[in-house]
Amino acid sequence: MIKFSNVFKGFGGRTVLEDISFLIPDNKITVIMGPSGCGKSTVLRLMIGLMRPDSGTIEIMGNDITKVSDKELFEIRKNMGMVFQAGALFDSLNVIDNVSFFLKEHKLKSKEEIASLSFEALKFVGLEDSAYLYPSELSGGMQRRVAIARTIVYRPKIVLFDEPTTGLDPHTSRIIEDLIRNLREQTGALILIVSHVFQTAFRLAERIIYLDNKKILFDGDPKDFVELDNTFVNTFLGPEGKKIFFNYNN
């Protein structure tokens, strides 16, 4: 579904990604982890075509998006959804109008279908009773749930999450994590998550890609990742944390 081949990307003479290659199939929830500034969010922006690599290829569903026109890229993006870290809701629109915005803007469905799909998406995230509230009237966790509803309303085949639980309390984080897992189970969508929150990564990930020092240093099972002896893992977990992880994850 997603394939990076020998991708390089730099900014202002500084290399951020150096010869990155990986393949993300549609049958596992994949989490990309790594320290701040390692290029995790850059990978997401490259995937959705917000920026182009300096070299290398990026294939989405068999299409090399480094070579397509803007019109062709837009058609590919219809199969993709992005849930941004802070929700990125429109403050001037209420919840239901936020959720239905993309469908209305591009006239993808009839008025009746848009209303039905939007309320269905809100019901999925448990916020159908908040349809006419505004973002300022919602908690941070509720805003994240609205952002998920806005993303899934048009049934994308690929859903990307940028730090979905960062800044949330443990209870709210579990709600978001459960929604992501339910999304995968109910729709079969490819789920890719960028996160530095270990609890979220290890509760959801069936595969972890660890990015650091411009390169991929690990690509595999979460339990094998925990056993790595590197600064990132040891700083966040330590010996006791590794024991807690195995209890938490099983």
Side-chain angles (χ1 to χ4, degrees):
M1 290 283 277
I2 300 176
K3 183 179 180 180
F4 274 48
S5 300
N6 308 112
V7 170
F8 286 76
K9 184 62 182 176
F11 301 98
R14 182 176 69 91
T15 300
V16 176
L17 300 175
E18 184 177 315
D19 198 24
I20 296 294
S21 297
F22 60 80
L23 176 67
I24 298 180
D26 61 358
N27 60 351
K28 291 183 178 181
I29 296 179
T30 300
V31 177
I32 298 178
M33 302 191 75
S36 296
C38 72
K40 301 187 299 294
S41 293
T42 299
V43 168
L44 287 186
R45 294 188 184 99
L46 288 168
M47 282 182 188
I48 58 178
L50 288 179
M51 58 178 64
R52 303 282 177 121
D54 298 330
S55 62
T57 61
I58 300 172
E59 294 180 39
I60 306 294
M61 301 175 64
N63 300 283
D64 183 357
I65 63 171
T66 66
K67 297 177 180 177
V68 300
S69 66
D70 289 343
K71 183 178 180 180
E72 291 170 321
L73 180 59
F74 176 75
E75 292 301 316
I76 295 169
R77 279 179 177 164
K78 286 182 180 178
N79 295 298
M80 306 174 72
M82 176 80 171
V83 181
F84 294 93
Q85 180 175 343
L89 302 179
F90 297 108
D91 293 334
S92 60
L93 299 180
N94 62 24
V95 166
I96 192 68
D97 286 339
N98 263 285
V99 172
S100 62
F101 181 83
F102 182 83
L103 295 177
K104 288 180 178 178
E105 184 74 8
H106 298 286
K107 299 179 174 62
L108 298 178
K109 302 286 183 180
S110 69
K111 184 177 179 180
E112 293 74 19
E113 287 176 308
I114 290 173
S116 176
L117 289 169
S118 298
F119 274 102
E120 184 180 337
L122 283 176
K123 186 175 181 180
F124 176 81
V125 300
L127 289 176
E128 63 269 33
D129 293 335
S130 302
Y132 298 103
L133 297 179
Y134 284 81
S136 61
E137 300 176 279
L138 306 177
S139 67
M142 292 171 73
Q143 290 184 27
R144 302 277 177 96
R145 287 153 66 189
V146 173
I148 293 174
R150 181 180 62 184
T151 299
I152 67 173
V153 71
Y154 55 94
R155 313 288 175 82
K157 296 178 181 179
I158 298 171
V159 184
L160 311 175
F161 290 87
D162 188 7
E163 301 286 1
T165 59
T166 295
L168 300 179
D169 62 78
H171 173 70
T172 305
S173 294
R174 289 296 290 258
I175 291 174
I176 299 297
E177 292 161 4
D178 287 342
L179 282 175
I180 294 173
R181 178 175 282 121
N182 290 341
L183 175 64
R184 168 64 185 160
E185 292 173 353
Q186 293 185 29
T187 70
L190 180 154
I191 304 292
L192 176 67
I193 303 166
V194 161
S195 180
H196 70 273
V197 179
F198 268 87
Q199 290 87 343
T200 293
F202 292 135
R203 184 160 186 249
L204 294 176
E206 297 164 291
R207 174 185 172 201
I208 284 179
I209 295 174
Y210 172 62
L211 184 63
D212 195 8
N213 195 29
K214 311 170 189 175
K215 298 179 180 293
I216 292 174
L217 301 184
F218 177 87
D219 184 348
D221 189 280
K223 292 182 179 180
D224 294 328
F225 178 71
V226 169
E227 294 301 328
L228 291 181
D229 183 20
N230 68 37
T231 302
F232 184 68
V233 174
N234 293 335
T235 297
F236 279 91
L237 291 182
E240 292 303 314
K242 292 183 180 183
K243 294 178 183 177
I244 292 172
F245 154 69
F246 284 109
N247 292 330
Y248 184 88
N249 200 50
N250 295 307

